[in-house]
Structures are given as C-alpha cells and as structure tokens.
Amino acid sequence: MNINIELFKLFAISSAFTFSGGLAMIPMLHDKLVTENNYLSNDEFYHYIALSQSLPGVTAVISACLLGEKINGKKGRLAASLGAILPILFLMIVLTMIYEVIPQTGIIKYIFIAIRSTAGIYIFEAAFSMTPHIISKSKKSYFLILGVFIVVTFLNISIPTIILGCFIMSILMTVRERYL
C-alpha cells in the first residue's frame, strides 16, 4: 500500500477516535509508526512529539506534519496533516449541530463526563510513555513533573497559568545555576 495512504488512514483513525487531541493519539501512533512499521526509532518519534508540544498550534496537526515529513517528505506531511484535520472537521461540524439541539441534562451530561474521564487516561498514558525519552535524568525534572501532575489534577489551575509558572521557574533555576 502507498505510504501516503497509510499515513492518511493512520492519522484519520487516530484523530477521529481518540478524545482530547494530540497527546491522546501518541500511544496509537507509536504503535503503528515505531513498533509495527519501523518508520521511526523510539527516540526520533518522541523527539518529534516533544517538538510538536512546544510549537504553537494544534498539537495533532503539528505532530502529523512533523512525523509525515520525516517519514515521506512533503507528500507524507500533506497526507498525514489531511488525515489529522478532515475527520475532526467533519465530526465537529456534525457534533456542533447536534449539541445545539440536544438539552444538556440526563444521559447526555453523563456521556460527556465519561468522555472527559477517558481522555484523562489517554493523556496519562502518553505522558507516562514519553517521560523517559524527553526529560533529563535529574531529580528536579521528576519533582517538576509530579508537581505539575498534582496541580493539574487536584487544584484545578488553568493550563496557561501552569505553563507560565513552569517558564518562570525554569528561568529562576537557570539563573541560580549559572550565577549563584
């Protein structure tokens, strides 16, 4: 089968059937691109995933562009990004029309709760599998990850606030290490 068709199908399936975006797609993408097809090594895969997390924009699309480009050049980038975008575009249009019509009570409320909880599981799995590949081996990194996990899970602080806090903390730690 054509590699571009494979990339399109993989990203279309992963973006259509994993909730909460780019991070939830990582286990499925890793399974297909690294384990089954050997298109990338573990380190290459996680390097591009970490890079896609640090660039502005939609993580799923950036991941698709970076991984597709690495695997098959510009054609791979186009196929993977279209695969990531088109199912979600169609799904969001349909769901928005349905959401406007259905009252948000009863079973619908519980369906959204179930979707939200499964999304958390996918994100946790992705973070757990990425951790050894993208962080340094210092104890500070592990404490930072644990601290961010606790803050996100239990204190309900917004993600932009957490990112800003981590940014400020990294600047302070860098200054302390270099000048003190």
Side-chain angles (χ1 to χ4, degrees):
M1 184 184 295
N2 184 346
I3 193 166
N4 293 327
I5 294 172
E6 284 183 48
L7 285 171
F8 178 84
K9 283 175 49 177
L10 173 62
F11 280 93
I13 290 169
S14 64
S15 71
F17 296 111
T18 55
F19 294 101
S20 81
L23 282 177
M25 295 169 56
I26 292 171
M28 181 181 193
L29 294 176
H30 182 272
D31 215 29
K32 296 291 184 183
L33 298 176
V34 177
T35 307
E36 284 185 26
N37 295 319
N38 294 320
Y39 290 138
L40 302 163
S41 69
N42 256 342
D43 289 338
E44 285 177 318
F45 177 79
Y46 286 117
H47 171 78
Y48 284 110
I49 294 298
L51 185 60
S52 70
Q53 296 294 315
S54 64
L55 294 172
V58 179
T59 304
V61 176
I62 294 171
S63 302
C65 289
L66 292 173
L67 294 169
E69 174 98 20
K70 176 65 178 171
I71 293 169
N72 199 32
K74 291 180 182 179
K75 291 178 181 179
R77 178 180 60 201
L78 179 64
S81 61
L82 284 176
I85 293 169
L86 292 179
I88 296 305
L89 176 65
F90 176 74
L91 187 63
M92 291 306 296
I93 290 170
V94 171
L95 288 177
T96 301
M97 292 185 315
I98 293 171
Y99 185 81
E100 293 294 322
V101 176
I102 296 176
Q104 304 303 309
T105 59
I107 194 160
I108 300 300
K109 179 180 173 182
Y110 295 114
I111 289 172
F112 284 123
I113 291 171
I115 289 171
R116 186 174 181 196
S117 65
T118 58
I121 292 168
Y122 284 123
I123 290 172
F124 181 75
E125 179 186 359
F128 185 76
S129 64
M130 285 175 58
T131 300
H133 298 281
I134 61 170
I135 65 168
S136 66
K137 301 298 180 192
S138 75
K139 292 179 183 177
K140 294 175 194 172
S141 299
Y142 291 104
F143 284 118
L144 179 63
I145 290 170
L146 181 63
V148 169
F149 174 75
I150 290 169
V151 167
V152 168
T153 306
F154 300 112
L155 300 180
N156 200 22
I157 295 175
S158 71
I159 299 299
T161 304
I162 293 169
I163 292 171
L164 180 63
C166 288
F167 176 71
I168 292 169
M169 191 166 53
S170 67
I171 289 173
L172 294 174
M173 289 173 69
T174 303
V175 167
R176 192 183 98 206
E177 288 176 7
R178 285 192 182 169
Y179 299 110
L180 298 178

